[in-house]
Amino acid sequence: MRSVVVSAPGKLMLLGEHAVVYDRPCIVTAIDRRMKVRLSVIKDEVLEVESPKVGIVHYRKLMRDLGMETNGHKVKFVELGVKHFREKFPFGGGVRIETLSEFSCNFGFGSSATITVCVIKALAELFGKKLSNKEIFDLAYKTVLAVQGRGSGFDVASAVFGGTLYFWTGGEVIERLTFGHLPLVIGYTGIKADTVSLIKQVEELRKKDYGKVEGIFDEISVLVKKAKEAIVRSDWKQLGDLMNRDEELLEKLGVGGEKLSLLIKTSLQAGAFGAKLSGAGVGDCMVVLVPEEKKNDVCRAISQAGGEVVEVELGVEGVRIEVQSSERKVQRLYEKIKGDGSGAVKYSIY
Ligand code: MEV
């Protein structure tokens, strides 16, 4: 049986959320918590999915029925990813897909986008299609839009290209930023945000108060462009100020949250340059820019306020093939990947 293991990184939005859904830019960075997908070709004309961490076990569907009456949000990304790839590059037989994540899907690190990207990349590899990163992005973004209805595609781009990206809606601009170490601390609220409903909520607000919301988006757009320059210059004081203003604007859009505000306030009091929510809002994570000498104080403040500090490396590599070989070799690799029960998966493969 031919198999391949592919991995892609999770993401953190730095600035520009919500506005980026409406033809504006954002800045996103790829983090060293990866999603892994093992994809095997099977004889039967079926799709099999095993993704126990997101509650998908023994999922089976005829290839010809892909996309029809699919229950369960997460499996839709896998199913439509396969469907879209097969429409573009028809193949016989079926596929078995197993996923393993180094992060809980509660963190807002972009598990849906990363699974989709891994599936497309793995299919391209197994069926010998030389797809560029932009082609992988386009197919994966089409899939995410088909499931979610709306979304900028920034999470897809981050999973595909990695690094830290200046990204414009739909991948109109995807520019890699080069700079030194970004002194960022991540705080997790413990609250799961529902991205799709928060996008809808902002959409409703925009319908009701178009001028106000467009004005906010315009201001976010200006500050994201300034932030891009500040990052490249490593001007953390200015970047911190821009993050604080972005947070104020996001709160005006109604996507702030009590726990987020508490963690942001305590981080600033502990000496951070700037702090803001990251992602759709209400919950998930917040990002804090800190002077190196204040890092410990900020981390302590976040923990004391009931947040969880998440240590991540930023700007890591995008989607990649982990191993492609005989089933036995892939199996051995997979057996080395062990869960430690904390939601993270620790592994030492190479
Ligand atoms: C969600 O993580 C970020 C949003 O801007 C949605 C998107 O860009 O797709 C709210």
Side-chain angles (χ1 to χ4, degrees):
M1 186 161 46
R2 284 184 302 137
S3 287
V4 65
V5 177
V6 166
S7 79
K11 57 76 192 164
L12 269 175
M13 176 76 96
L14 298 182
L15 299 107
E17 42 274 271
H18 288 289
V20 68
V21 179
Y22 297 89
D23 203 17
R24 267 90 172 182
C26 76
I27 299 173
V28 57
T29 189
I31 58 170
D32 66 344
R33 300 287 173 95
R34 299 184 82 85
M35 175 74 66
K36 278 176 188 278
V37 165
R38 170 166 64 170
L39 195 143
S40 315
V41 176
I42 54 177
K43 271 202 218 93
D44 296 348
E45 293 256 336
V46 289
L47 167 69
E48 294 180 357
V49 186
E50 295 292 344
S51 190
K53 275 203 172 178
V54 293
I56 306 170
V57 277
H58 308 325
Y59 186 84
R60 260 176 89 85
K61 194 151 187 182
L62 290 174
M63 293 299 267
R64 65 165 182 268
D65 292 343
L66 292 186
M68 284 161 60
E69 291 170 24
T70 307
N71 290 323
H73 190 60
K74 277 278 184 264
V75 83
K76 277 191 200 164
F77 292 93
V78 175
E79 210 178 300
L80 291 185
V82 175
K83 181 176 186 303
H84 291 152
F85 181 88
R86 200 161 165 263
E87 279 166 2
K88 206 169 159 77
F89 306 106
F91 62 84
V95 286
R96 176 176 171 78
I97 291 171
E98 293 150 272
T99 75
L100 254 187
S101 173
E102 292 171 23
F103 56 87
S104 154
C105 62
N106 293 336
F107 276 44
F109 287 164
S111 54
S112 309
T114 46
I115 285 187
T116 313
V117 166
C118 286
V119 166
I120 305 281
K121 174 78 176 175
L123 286 167
E125 189 66 20
L126 273 188
F127 291 102
K129 303 295 167 201
K130 293 241 167 299
L131 297 190
S132 67
N133 274 348
K134 184 61 172 57
E135 287 170 310
I136 292 172
F137 170 82
D138 287 340
L139 260 181
Y141 181 44
K142 177 181 165 180
T143 302
V144 169
L145 279 185
V147 179
Q148 276 184 195
R150 248 196 199 282
S152 65
F154 82 104
D155 41 4
V156 178
S158 178
V160 173
F161 294 92
T164 299
L165 303 176
Y166 177 73
F167 173 90
W168 208 286
T169 322
E172 219 174 286
V173 177
I174 303 176
E175 189 185 328
R176 193 161 186 149
L177 304 184
T178 317
F179 53 93
H181 168 69
L182 187 67
L184 211 66
V185 165
I186 319 301
Y188 175 53
T189 58
I191 298 163
K192 172 85 188 116
D194 181 347
T195 302
V196 176
S197 66
L198 284 163
I199 292 177
K200 280 220 178 80
Q201 187 184 308
V202 173
E203 192 178 337
E204 288 306 313
L205 186 68
R206 184 169 174 266
K207 273 189 209 147
K208 244 197 283 166
D209 206 341
Y210 185 83
K212 177 186 152 192
V213 172
E214 280 292 303
I216 291 174
F217 288 166
D218 283 341
E219 199 184 326
I220 291 178
S221 181
V222 171
L223 68 82
V224 168
K225 288 174 196 162
K226 285 187 185 160
K228 177 189 169 199
E229 302 307 322
I231 288 175
V232 173
R233 282 198 318 274
S234 299
D235 184 345
W236 306 139
K237 170 77 183 73
Q238 197 201 356
L239 183 61
D241 291 344
L242 293 165
M243 287 167 66
N244 291 337
R245 181 63 189 149
D246 197 6
E247 172 63 25
E248 283 171 14
L249 294 168
L250 288 163
E251 284 175 21
K252 283 191 187 167
L253 288 176
V255 297
E258 233 174 80
K259 186 78 174 280
L260 280 168
S261 297
L262 175 68
L263 300 185
I264 288 166
K265 199 170 115 204
T266 47
S267 299
L268 292 174
Q269 281 167 350
F273 287 127
K276 63 177 281 294
L277 65 86
S278 171
V282 175
D284 287 350
C285 289
M286 37 82 81
V287 285
V288 192
L289 196 69
V290 290
E292 212 51 65
E293 69 280 8
K294 296 281 183 192
K295 189 174 170 188
N296 289 342
D297 294 346
V298 169
C299 289
R300 203 173 311 116
I302 291 174
S303 303
Q304 278 167 2
E308 182 188 334
V309 175
V310 189
E311 294 278 346
V312 290
E313 200 188 308
L314 308 178
V316 304
E317 193 186 353
V319 67
R320 67 177 181 228
I321 306 291
E322 295 289 349
V323 68
Q324 160 149 44
S325 191
S326 66
E327 179 61 13
R328 260 186 56 225
K329 192 165 164 196
V330 174
Q331 187 61 42
R332 272 207 308 277
L333 166 88
Y334 234 61
E335 277 160 10
K336 278 192 187 171
I337 302 172
K338 295 235 188 314
D340 67 359
S342 69
V345 175
K346 302 227 183 304
Y347 60 96
S348 52
I349 301 169
Y350 302 109

